[in-house]
Amino acid sequence: MDKLVIEGGLPLHGDVRIAGSKNATLPLMAAAVIAPGQTVIQNVPRLVDIHTLGKVIAHLGVTVEHDDDKVVMDATATPSDTAPYDLVRKMRASFYMLGALLARLGHAKVSMPGGCAWGPRPVDIHLKGLKALGASVELEGGYVLADSRQMNGGRFVLDFPSVGATVNLLLAVSTLEKETILENVAREPEITNLIRMLNRMGARIEGANTSQLVILGSRDLKPLSFAVIPDRIEAGTYMAAVGRCGGDVMLRGADPEHLTMVLAKAAEAGIKFTVTTEGIRIQRENDLRSVDVETAVYPGFPTDMQAQWIALMTAAAGVSLVTDTIYTDRFTHVAELMRLGAEIKMKGHTAKVYGPTQLTGAPVMSTDLRASASLVIAALAAKGRTDILRVYHLDRGYERLEDKFERIGARIRREQE
Ligand code: EPU
């Protein structure tokens, strides 16, 4: 296993090229399974999670080739209807195969995803939605057995605007030639990206960017060439690193429209940002102010930036309250940040961060992707050496992280544990 070795304490200067979004790519790859023929997805980040979903899809009989920042998929042959436990358990987004296979075949057998490092992550809304729209759904031996051949559309109100449920339902009805209305859907940019692709494939989906979608599918969806939006969470992570360490960095290709709340909070904290045609320039010269955040569905503050925000706030004068309302137990980074000297108290699902603190290096490890990102930010600011174990979490979601940080002046390298 690899670890990252970071000698902290340097400001960051230069350019970072923001990759395509991981969480936007995964639904697009699922959508490519629906249309017979060759689909090319561009601006794909080179990440383990993308390869993991590629393996699930290849197992179904769809050809998947990764070529630099492109994924070329050929779904000419009729895919198998079964996504097995051994593959699905490696990544929750494999559950998107449920919607995709229902759209393509009308039936699917997909393993139920398990929990994750920070607690249970249910899929009840996905299943309730399919049933409400007329599909049959049964659970058997850890698998969801679903059949959508009698599905007749209609209206479904999601109990909560779940990203995953919105993706699965959109995929499932994308070949249904009867109107479906989905209310209280997720409005994340990754959803809008998927809607654009499905529309280009031949579906008629109205309401992108809003909480109500009116969908008229088509049995004749066509393959296409389509580009992924930039990764707002990668951009936010580099922003937090510059904020924590000080410096001046251009986030090349980042889309400010997708980061409205994060940038507003950063500005409140004393981080300067300038939007240019090339991306977002982040500068931090002065002391930081403490700023409270509470995670919420888009366009609120993303839960995927909560851990990084805590690392940032260890530099801010005062007390910051960081509350996660989406994943209330997603705080495994807190104990590790405290090993670096951070002063944080947990109360329910709120972290109280006391600052400013001078962090000092130590060996740390983490249990998930964004927790690892917050440790990297803290380590870059800490005096001395930090070893971050279990780098494979970062490899799931950050493309060439150590190269990108090294290029902007960090002392960071990968070693064998
Ligand atoms: N929820 C339910 N029932 C459901 C589905 C969700 O109760 O059927 C609840 C969840 O327990 C949670 C909330 O709804 O409290 C939000 O879950 P959502 O379904 O929106 O999340 P997801 O689709 O499982 C995606 C991202 C996550 C990100 C969340 C929230 C992907 C592949 N994953 O997960 O990304 O945290 O949305 O924005 O898109 C990450 O990239 O590190 C990551 C975990």
Side-chain angles (χ1 to χ4, degrees):
M1 262 193 277
D2 291 349
K3 65 176 179 183
L4 285 181
V5 178
I6 297 176
E7 311 266 356
L10 296 175
L12 304 172
H13 286 276
D15 263 46
V16 173
R17 191 169 138 54
I18 299 304
S21 156
K22 164 179 85 76
N23 289 346
T25 305
L26 300 167
L28 303 191
M29 288 173 71
V33 170
I34 303 172
Q38 181 180 288
T39 289
V40 180
I41 306 176
Q42 292 153 342
N43 197 31
V44 173
R46 286 147 277 218
L47 296 172
V48 172
D49 271 10
I50 302 298
H51 284 270
T52 305
L53 186 63
K55 281 184 196 145
V56 176
I57 293 174
H59 176 88
L60 303 173
V62 174
T63 313
V64 183
E65 277 166 23
H66 302 265
D67 174 13
D68 195 27
D69 70 343
K70 276 204 284 293
V71 172
V72 181
M73 296 173 58
D74 195 319
T76 305
T78 304
S80 139
D81 78 342
T82 305
Y85 174 65
D86 266 359
L87 291 171
V88 174
R89 73 188 166 87
K90 297 203 171 112
M91 194 185 47
R92 298 181 49 80
S94 313
F95 200 57
Y96 292 161
M97 284 308 112
L98 182 60
L101 289 171
L102 288 177
R104 174 80 188 256
L105 304 170
H107 49 94
K109 179 179 174 187
V110 178
S111 175
M112 282 276 276
C116 85
W118 69 78
R121 290 175 68 183
V123 288
D124 55 313
I125 304 171
H126 306 224
L127 304 183
K128 194 172 162 188
L130 290 174
K131 282 187 209 159
L133 300 174
S136 74
V137 178
E138 282 168 34
L139 297 183
E140 202 181 289
Y143 281 80
V144 176
L145 275 69
D147 193 309
S148 60
R149 282 169 286 195
Q150 302 299 319
M151 199 152 75
N152 39 25
R155 182 184 292 266
F156 176 64
V157 185
L158 281 72
D159 290 331
F160 181 86
S162 150
V163 172
T166 305
V167 169
N168 247 335
L169 294 173
L170 267 172
L171 293 171
V173 300
S174 64
T175 53
L176 183 68
E177 295 184 333
K178 289 175 187 156
E179 188 175 89
T180 302
I181 299 177
L182 298 176
E183 309 257 18
N184 197 29
V185 293
R187 293 186 281 159
E188 270 68 2
E190 294 76 22
I191 301 284
T192 302
N193 204 218
L194 172 65
I195 291 172
R196 290 218 174 97
M197 169 151 155
L198 290 171
N199 279 344
R200 286 254 328 268
M201 289 167 77
R204 260 189 32 214
I205 305 169
E206 285 165 20
N209 247 332
T210 75
S211 51
Q212 190 204 57
L213 298 174
V214 180
I215 304 141
L216 187 63
S218 160
R219 251 181 246 133
D220 189 27
L221 292 187
K222 296 273 190 266
L224 78 174
S225 179
F226 193 79
V228 179
I229 53 171
D231 196 318
R232 62 195 168 103
I233 305 301
E234 188 194 27
T237 301
Y238 283 94
M239 180 281 293
V242 178
R244 186 63 185 81
C245 299
D248 183 347
V249 171
M250 170 58 86
L251 307 177
R252 205 164 287 281
D255 189 337
E257 294 274 311
H258 300 160
L259 283 157
T260 310
M261 179 63 91
V262 172
L263 290 172
K265 289 287 176 183
E268 234 182 281
I271 296 172
K272 189 175 164 202
F273 71 89
T274 318
V275 173
T276 75
T277 48
E278 289 166 13
I280 310 170
R281 180 176 173 192
I282 304 290
Q283 291 164 285
R284 207 276 277 169
E285 285 150 8
N286 303 319
D287 292 344
L288 289 182
R289 294 179 288 273
S290 59
V291 173
D292 299 346
V293 300
E294 186 168 309
T295 66
V297 295
Y298 189 82
F301 192 90
T303 171
D304 289 345
M305 276 298 298
Q306 175 260 107
Q308 301 90 312
W309 192 261
I310 291 180
L312 175 66
M313 285 297 108
T314 60
V319 183
S320 326
L321 302 181
V322 182
T323 305
D324 203 324
T325 64
I326 306 289
Y327 290 116
T328 50
D329 297 323
R330 194 183 199 182
F331 286 101
T332 54
H333 41 287
V334 166
E336 297 299 301
L337 289 170
M338 287 168 71
R339 286 174 47 73
L340 299 174
E343 285 178 43
I344 305 170
K345 281 200 184 117
M346 286 303 303
K347 191 159 185 216
H349 46 272
T350 298
K352 266 176 127 174
V353 189
Y354 298 82
T357 33
Q358 170 61 60
L359 303 175
T360 46
V364 287
M365 66 176 195
S366 76
T367 46
D368 76 84
L369 171 58
R370 309 301 171 190
S372 306
S374 88
L375 296 179
V376 170
I377 294 167
L380 290 169
K383 214 185 322 170
R385 169 176 167 152
T386 298
D387 289 22
I388 303 180
L389 310 183
R390 303 191 178 174
V391 176
Y392 57 85
H393 290 300
L394 284 166
D395 292 337
R396 292 186 59 179
Y398 290 92
E399 187 187 85
R400 298 187 296 109
L401 176 120
E402 68 270 27
D403 295 347
K404 288 187 179 182
F405 271 118
E406 196 179 20
R407 283 190 52 162
I408 54 175
R411 279 176 302 209
I412 179 169
R413 62 181 189 275
R414 186 181 285 252
E415 282 183 7
Q416 292 249 301
E417 253 178 48

